[in-house]
């Protein structure tokens, strides 16, 4: 059975038109009128249904990352990391797991050009035997702000002015000048890699720190990184204007055409790990999302490869209705106390219940491919067929039991309630080092946009 075909599905199309309820439609050209030139009859059910469906075709676009392209394929483990995690899909080299991936831009609308200087989303849904795992990352390894409390303001500043609906640099500078922790992210955004050539030629990163837990219960902080096997390629400002000017969907098209031609995009997955017992050994906080973990002291370890070898069948079902969430994890992978990750854990499923409805995880692209069972049911657009009589727990009539316990981080959490900034802010060292490592011609691209740059330059050229 093809797991990507569902009923209702166009795989079971009848040879003639029907209404949504399956009745034959004998005329899909003309409305039912009184005489050849008379008014249209309300009883033309097919016409009313056709218009009503059309009138409701759009759903709310994502509040961020509205513009995106997706594709399907598989993830294959190439290196054994079973000493670090009991995650079933990482159990041994050679194990393959089906995936769906969505790449995106962040700030602008669903139909905006894919050539804008903007981070790119890199979200991977692994359909594992122990439920789905969503790795919801970006192309840069750091983020603008470290506390999710700041995220809505940050997005408001980057989005168009609410009065004119024009994106304006004075609003961006105004907001970020209050947030020196964002400097590191700007050294990526205004670097040559600030505009990826397309989705195939960019890196990905989980950005936030997660935790891997072994069967024995030992935890390691982890960062995930994707490296494209075809290399990283980017557009300079003038190239982007030309590419975007002639095709505002160039990256979506590149992804689709490459897969259709059998030129399957591939990325290698690497991890970096830190023993939580060593987290105080650094001059930065490893749970601070505005920092990278230097690769010379925390090396990249290979894990597997991601291959995209199947185009989506339908953009609405497998892109618009697709829902990723950083809180969707599997046994062996857990969150960390990274403040930004903690807020993301809430936000995604919250927006998806609004954007897609409470049963959004029943949608085929979002549902696990493994069997699942609980007593959450009903609500708008429930389409799961159930025939159980016992929908409560516990019950002597239902043999359902708890799953086997799996390890979660053993660290003890204590402390008084606080609202505060982390102790080791160290906002300038990493961006300063990165800036001073650039060659002169690379600095050229940092000089865009002209009214943001002076402030950033001033801070960056200062010695650390
Ligand atoms: C507290 C900080 C953040 C909040 C509150 C937040 C919130 C959101 C929301 C509400 C969406 C729309 C989801 C939907 O409608 O399906 C979204 C999408 C997304 N976010 Fe975040 N975000 C945050 C930080 C980040 C970070 C740090 C990353 C990168 C690691 C990231 C990557 C993404 C991606 C890739 C998507 C698009 C997923 C897709 O393709 O459907 N976000 N975010």
């Amino acid at each position: 059975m093809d797991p990507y075909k569902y009923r209702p599905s166009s795989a079971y199309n009848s040879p003639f038109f029907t209404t949504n309820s399956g009745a034959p439609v004998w005329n899909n050209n003309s409305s039912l009128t009184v005489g050849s030139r008379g008014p249209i009859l309300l009883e033309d059910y097919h016409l009313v249904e056709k218009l009503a469906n059309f009138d409701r075709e759009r759903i709310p676009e994502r509040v961020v990352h509205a513009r995106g392209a997706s594709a399907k394929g598989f993830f294959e483990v190439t290196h054994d990391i079973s000493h670090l995690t009991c995650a079933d899909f990482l159990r041994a080299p050679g194990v393959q797991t089906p995936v769906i991936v969505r790449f995106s831009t962040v700030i602008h609308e669903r139909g905006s050009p894919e050539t804008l200087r903007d981070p790119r989303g890199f979200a991977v849904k692994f359909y594992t035997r122990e439920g789905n795992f969503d790795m919801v990352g970006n192309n840069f390894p750091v983020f603008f702000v470290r506390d999710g409390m700041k995220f809505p303001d940050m997005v408001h500043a980057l989005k168009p002015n609410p009065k004119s609906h024009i994106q304006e640099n004075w609003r961006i500078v105004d907001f970020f000048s209050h947030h020196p922790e964002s400097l590191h992210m700007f050294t990526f955004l205004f670097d040559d890699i600030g505009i990826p050539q397309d989705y195939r030629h960019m890196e990905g990163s989980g950005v936030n720190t997660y935790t891997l837990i072994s069967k024995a219960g030992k935890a390691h902080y982890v960062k995930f990184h994707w490296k494209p096997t075809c290399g990283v390629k980017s557009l300079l400002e003038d190239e982007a204007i030309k590419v975007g000017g002639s095709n505002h969907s160039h990256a979506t098209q590149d992804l689709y055409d490459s897969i259709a031609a059998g030129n399957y995009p591939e990325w290698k997955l690497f991890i970096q790990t830190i023993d939580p017992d060593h987290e105080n050994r650094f001059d930065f906080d490893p749970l601070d999302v505005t920092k990278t973990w230097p690769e010379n002291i925390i090396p990249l370890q290979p894990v597997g490869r991601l291959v995209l070898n199947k185009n989506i069948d339908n953009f609405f079902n497998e892109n618009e209705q697709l829902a990723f969430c950083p809180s969707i994890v599997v046994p062996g992978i857990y969150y960390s106390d990274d403040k930004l990750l903690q807020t993301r854990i809430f936000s995604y499923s919250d927006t998806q219940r609004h954007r897609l409805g409470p049963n959004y995880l029943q949608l085929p692209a979002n549902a696990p491919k493994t069997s699942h069972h609980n007593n959450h049911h009903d609500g708008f657009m429930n389409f799961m067929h159930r025939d159980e009589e016992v929908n409560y727990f516990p019950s002597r009539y239902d043999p359902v039991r708890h799953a086997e316990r799996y390890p979660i981080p053993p660290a003890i959490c204590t402390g008084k309630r606080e609202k505060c900034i982390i102790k080791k802010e160290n906002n300038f060292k990493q961006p300063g080092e990165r800036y001073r490592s650039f060659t002169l011609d690379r600095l050229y691209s940092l000089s865009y946009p002209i009214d943001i740059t002076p402030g950033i330059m001033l801070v960056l050229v200062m010695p650390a």
Side-chain angles (χ1 to χ4, degrees):
M1 193 190 90
D2 181 348
Y4 297 112
K5 297 280 182 245
Y6 306 94
R7 193 163 201 151
S9 158
S10 52
Y12 304 99
N13 275 354
S14 64
F16 45 80
F17 281 112
T18 73
T19 61
N20 283 346
S21 45
V25 168
W26 59 271
N27 184 330
N28 194 28
N29 292 321
S30 306
S31 313
L32 187 68
T33 52
V34 181
S36 67
R37 298 183 63 242
I40 295 174
L41 291 169
L42 192 58
E43 70 186 41
D44 189 345
Y45 178 78
H46 173 57
L47 170 72
V48 172
E49 184 183 74
K50 185 174 182 176
L51 292 175
N53 246 111
F54 175 74
D55 294 344
R56 291 165 180 76
E57 275 179 12
R58 297 287 178 274
I59 57 172
E61 64 175 35
R62 291 167 178 81
V63 66
V64 280
H65 294 262
R67 168 58 129 152
S70 37
K72 295 180 280 195
F74 65 89
F75 173 76
E76 183 182 42
V77 180
T78 52
H79 293 74
D80 186 9
I81 59 161
S82 58
H83 56 291
L84 292 170
T85 174
C86 57
D88 176 73
F89 79 105
L90 298 171
R91 65 188 175 277
V95 172
Q96 290 193 352
T97 302
V99 298
I100 187 161
V101 176
R102 183 172 181 270
F103 304 107
S104 48
T105 62
V106 180
I107 292 301
H108 294 280
E109 293 89 344
R110 192 149 47 190
S112 53
E114 295 176 303
T115 39
L116 299 175
R117 188 173 295 271
D118 198 14
R120 299 292 186 270
F122 193 130
V124 184
K125 188 183 290 293
F126 299 78
Y127 298 107
T128 90
R129 297 194 307 189
E130 288 190 326
N132 294 349
F133 168 50
D134 288 358
M135 196 190 289
V136 197
N138 278 348
N139 62 329
F140 301 145
V142 291
F143 198 61
F144 294 103
V145 288
R146 61 167 74 93
D147 189 323
M149 178 71 100
K150 302 275 186 186
F151 186 80
D153 295 291
M154 183 203 97
V155 172
H156 289 171
L158 287 165
K159 288 255 185 196
N161 183 326
K163 189 168 174 182
S164 60
H165 202 67
I166 297 166
Q167 189 186 38
E168 285 165 349
N169 289 335
W170 68 267
R171 305 175 71 248
I172 300 174
V173 176
D174 183 27
F175 176 81
F176 284 107
S177 61
H178 294 91
H179 296 90
E181 71 269 34
S182 62
L183 207 56
H184 201 186
M185 182 71 164
F186 279 106
T187 66
F188 287 88
L189 190 61
F190 290 158
D191 181 5
D192 284 354
I193 55 170
I195 310 175
Q197 177 180 290
D198 47 55
Y199 296 130
R200 283 184 303 134
H201 293 91
M202 64 179 202
E203 296 191 339
S205 172
V207 185
N208 288 115
T209 299
Y210 276 81
T211 308
L212 293 180
I213 313 163
S214 70
K215 201 165 185 181
K218 174 65 192 159
H220 281 90
Y221 291 142
V222 64
K223 277 191 187 283
F224 298 101
H225 303 282
W226 297 107
K227 308 270 179 204
T229 55
C230 60
V232 171
K233 289 188 186 163
S234 311
L235 297 174
L236 291 175
E237 201 60 38
D238 50 346
E239 293 170 329
I241 290 168
K242 280 187 208 135
V243 172
S246 62
N247 180 358
H248 73 291
S249 298
H250 83 284
T252 299
Q253 181 160 13
D254 172 80
L255 183 68
Y256 194 91
D257 290 352
S258 301
I259 295 174
N263 179 18
Y264 302 139
E266 183 173 333
W267 285 261
K268 301 257 188 262
L269 178 67
F270 294 85
I271 53 170
Q272 289 177 290
T273 56
I274 292 180
D275 186 330
D277 294 342
H278 303 163
E279 66 179 339
N280 295 322
R281 291 186 178 179
F282 309 97
D283 61 3
F284 60 92
D285 184 334
L287 304 188
D288 174 2
V289 74
T290 67
K291 301 294 182 294
T292 49
W293 294 355
E295 288 172 18
N296 52 345
I297 46 173
I298 307 157
L300 294 174
Q301 307 167 48
V303 177
R305 67 189 190 114
L306 167 73
V307 179
L308 298 181
N309 59 2
K310 189 171 182 347
N311 272 317
I312 52 173
D313 298 321
N314 182 273
F315 184 81
F316 187 81
N317 290 349
E318 295 174 299
N319 187 310
E320 281 306 284
Q321 294 200 120
L322 197 52
F324 294 91
C325 177
S327 51
I328 295 196
V329 292
V330 286
I333 301 178
Y334 203 76
Y335 323 116
S336 74
D337 295 343
D338 171 342
K339 287 190 196 199
L340 200 94
L341 176 60
Q342 291 277 320
T343 38
R344 294 180 77 200
I345 287 170
F346 162 76
S347 199
Y348 288 67
S349 43
D350 181 53
T351 195
Q352 285 149 4
R353 287 180 190 115
H354 158 71
R355 185 167 74 79
L356 301 163
N359 285 308
Y360 71 102
L361 287 178
Q362 288 182 18
L363 292 166
N366 300 328
K369 306 274 181 225
T370 183
S371 54
H372 63 289
H373 187 173
N374 57 43
N375 292 324
H376 319 335
H377 61 62
D378 299 350
F380 288 109
M381 301 309 293
N382 166 66
F383 55 90
M384 178 153 161
H385 180 78
R386 312 179 70 120
D387 63 357
E388 300 104 336
E389 291 184 74
V390 176
N391 58 352
Y392 49 84
F393 175 83
S395 162
R396 71 194 71 240
Y397 303 108
D398 186 353
V400 66
R401 53 183 169 77
H402 283 132
E404 199 181 318
R405 188 179 169 157
Y406 57 84
I408 55 175
I412 295 166
C413 304
T414 56
K416 64 180 170 55
R417 290 183 173 82
E418 289 185 70
K419 275 184 175 263
C420 60
I421 294 174
I422 57 166
K423 291 209 172 65
K424 283 190 208 164
E425 280 195 84
N426 205 348
N427 289 326
F428 304 117
K429 186 178 171 203
Q430 289 194 358
E433 282 170 358
R434 190 172 153 76
Y435 180 85
R436 285 187 295 276
S437 75
F438 290 159
T439 52
L440 267 183
D441 60 335
R442 204 152 180 196
L443 291 180
Y444 163 78
S445 36
L446 278 164
S447 63
Y448 174 86
I450 207 72
D451 51 346
I452 292 190
T453 313
I456 292 172
M457 291 284 200
L458 262 181
V459 186
L460 287 171
V461 291
M462 308 253 296

